Amino acid sequence: MQSLIYDGSFDGFLCAVFDVYYYKFQNADICTGEGFNGNIFDQPHIVQTQKNNSERVWKSLEKKLSKDAQSQLYRTFLSELPGIENSLLQYIQYALKNDKDITKDFSHPAVLTITQTAKKVYTEKHRMEAFVRFQKTADDLYFSI
């Protein structure tokens, strides 16, 4: 198993996906530096965040996924669940491999995980907006008491 360590940003994650394809890693494990446990049999690959690589991956996803599916990917990334990067990688690989719409194929474990996690993140965001009231300051910043 090849461990890929990225900086924790969404662009960094997309660069990790780029590296999986570029270096043809068969069995990849994407994690942040804090999430890396180490493996004595494996030399970790440090992902360099480069805007052009992340844009290439995102443009490939735009061709395969709807705007809603892209939003689900991003919301799922924001969940910060342990190991969610690997589910996202499986989802992306499945999407890029198939010509059909995969967003409703709940028989695939990654599709189900991404859909459920994105819904949980959206629900949490909605609850925060409902309970937290923001006020605008004189210098156009919003804050909550």
Side-chain angles (χ1 to χ4, degrees):
M1 177 172 289
Q2 181 64 48
S3 296
L4 286 88
I5 301 173
Y6 76 106
D7 62 3
S9 68
F10 189 64
D11 282 333
F13 168 73
L14 292 177
C15 288
V17 172
F18 179 86
D19 285 358
V20 167
Y21 282 97
Y22 184 79
Y23 294 108
K24 297 178 176 57
F25 294 139
Q26 295 299 317
N27 198 4
D29 177 36
I30 300 175
C31 61
T32 59
E34 297 87 36
F36 181 64
N37 293 329
N39 185 343
I40 62 171
F41 302 110
D42 189 18
Q43 180 68 27
H45 173 81
I46 307 299
V47 176
Q48 300 298 320
T49 302
Q50 297 175 351
K51 192 72 172 166
N52 59 341
N53 290 348
S54 65
E55 287 175 355
R56 282 180 64 181
V57 172
W58 192 250
K59 286 179 183 177
S60 297
L61 290 172
E62 284 177 340
K63 294 175 186 174
K64 292 286 190 170
L65 297 174
S66 66
K67 292 286 183 194
D68 186 47
Q70 291 172 323
S71 178
Q72 282 185 339
L73 267 177
Y74 185 64
R75 275 190 241 134
T76 301
F77 176 79
L78 292 176
S79 72
E80 296 182 350
L81 293 174
I84 199 66
E85 296 93 348
N86 296 314
S87 295
L88 286 165
L89 174 63
Q90 292 170 5
Y91 183 90
I92 290 170
Q93 288 173 329
Y94 188 57
L96 294 176
K97 188 173 23 173
N98 288 301
D99 292 329
K100 63 181 174 97
D101 179 29
I102 64 149
T103 58
K104 303 294 184 215
D105 184 9
F106 299 122
S107 65
H108 193 278
V111 174
L112 183 62
T113 301
I114 299 306
T115 304
Q116 289 175 338
T117 306
K119 186 175 181 178
K120 288 176 187 175
V121 170
Y122 180 77
T123 303
E124 183 177 341
K125 174 191 104 49
H126 183 70
R127 285 184 184 149
M128 289 302 293
E129 289 174 342
F131 293 120
V132 177
R133 299 291 178 230
F134 289 94
Q135 297 174 354
K136 191 173 186 179
T137 62
D139 52 349
D140 290 333
L141 294 175
Y142 288 93
F143 79 99
S144 176
I145 298 176

